[in-house]
Amino acid sequence: MNENKTVTYLPQKEHSATLSTTGRLMAYNDQLKNSLENGFNFTKLLDTLISTDSVTELLAAVAKLTAYELDTAFLTFPQKYSRSDFYLIFLNRLLELHQRAGMILQSSDQYHELYHEFPGINTKGYFIFQLENNQANGTFYIEKNRKLKLFYLNFSRHLLRFNSHALTQLLLVDYFAEIEHQKIKSFALSLWEIGKFLKEDFGFDVDFGLLDPANNCVYQITEPQLPSEVLDRLFIAAAHADKMLEAGANQTAILRLSDQVVFKAFRQTNPETATFGEWGLAVQDPNQKISLFDVLLKYDFLKDWYLDNLTVLEIKSDQLYFS
């Protein structure tokens, strides 16, 4: 929440030359009534945001609130919630309407703002939205202590983009040795569910990055031509973990992590020319619930291989929002 000093406005001076005293008072009163009506309309939107059972009404309310000008020349509210706060409330309510409770909305008296915390990781960091001037219609969800941008959200464009670099740094490096891995997994699941519900409920265009569990997902890596020595390192690391890296058709490297989960590194083919193109990674399981992030979190040898070769293997994020 923001705190501003209350400002009292008098009728504009230019009116005095054309209006009688009574006319000036009536004009001032009309402006004040309009300002009060503006404030009342704001409260109705906020009521909807915090109490509606409709996801459609929820999105409409937050879209209007994040663009709402509450203060007027005749009435300034000394305490009010920020645009960042409305985004936080929206996500909290969205998960709540889907009977998911992994996200806790808190209030900071010190910084006069709302924030998110998650069970099991709240001692290490908390999360807010950060608005930037060059992204007027969108905002970044950040871990405040480290300033890492985990995803970008834009209501007007119906768009959500996850930042695989920040997720890797936060969850597989910074938190990995200090937080119970099941708590890290639960946090990542909450993030994925945000994208899932935005996509299913509102048709958002979502790039899940390394959180995507779909079998048809191809994780695009930074280096389009995967050096052979990187695959050699995976072969050695897998052997030390009693796993066998197999050679499949069309230069595919296959790693069977369990009876059901398979990790692959492969060259994508151009369906029109039947030629090989860029390299990518994939994870497949029959239930389509396991993402690349999940296997990196579970298998230390695979995580270490990924992190040790990050300049080649890092999953690409949308460069329009994450440079």
Side-chain angles (χ1 to χ4, degrees), residues 75-107:
L75 184 62
T76 299
F77 292 82
Q79 294 188 15
K80 52 184 174 289
Y81 288 101
S82 69
R83 283 179 59 197
S84 172
D85 294 334
F86 296 133
Y87 282 103
L88 293 168
I89 297 169
F90 168 79
L91 291 189
N92 204 72
R93 293 289 340 280
L94 180 64
L95 293 188
E96 180 183 285
L97 290 178
H98 286 277
Q99 291 79 51
R100 299 295 300 162
M103 177 186 293
I104 302 171
L105 185 65
Q106 299 281 27
S107 177

Side-chain angles (χ1 to χ4, degrees), residues 25-83:
L25 290 173
M26 291 179 64
Y28 171 77
N29 200 38
D30 287 341
Q31 291 287 350
L32 191 56
K33 285 188 289 185
N34 291 338
S35 297
L36 291 170
E37 181 68 19
N38 185 62
F40 180 66
N41 290 335
F42 172 87
T43 65
K44 290 193 292 185
L45 288 173
L46 188 55
D47 278 341
T48 300
L49 184 66
I50 63 180
S51 62
T52 184
D53 292 328
S54 165
V55 292
T56 302
E57 291 181 353
L58 184 70
L59 181 64
V62 73
K64 291 178 181 178
L65 284 168
T66 52
Y68 205 96
E69 295 294 337
L70 179 58
D71 293 338
T72 68
F74 282 74
L75 184 62
T76 299
F77 292 82
Q79 294 188 15
K80 52 184 174 289
Y81 288 101
S82 69
R83 283 179 59 197

Side-chain angles (χ1 to χ4, degrees), residues 239-256:
H240 288 163
D242 296 323
K243 305 288 182 183
M244 176 60 70
L245 186 66
E246 305 170 14
N250 301 326
Q251 304 184 38
T252 299
I254 302 172
L255 186 59
R256 302 185 188 280

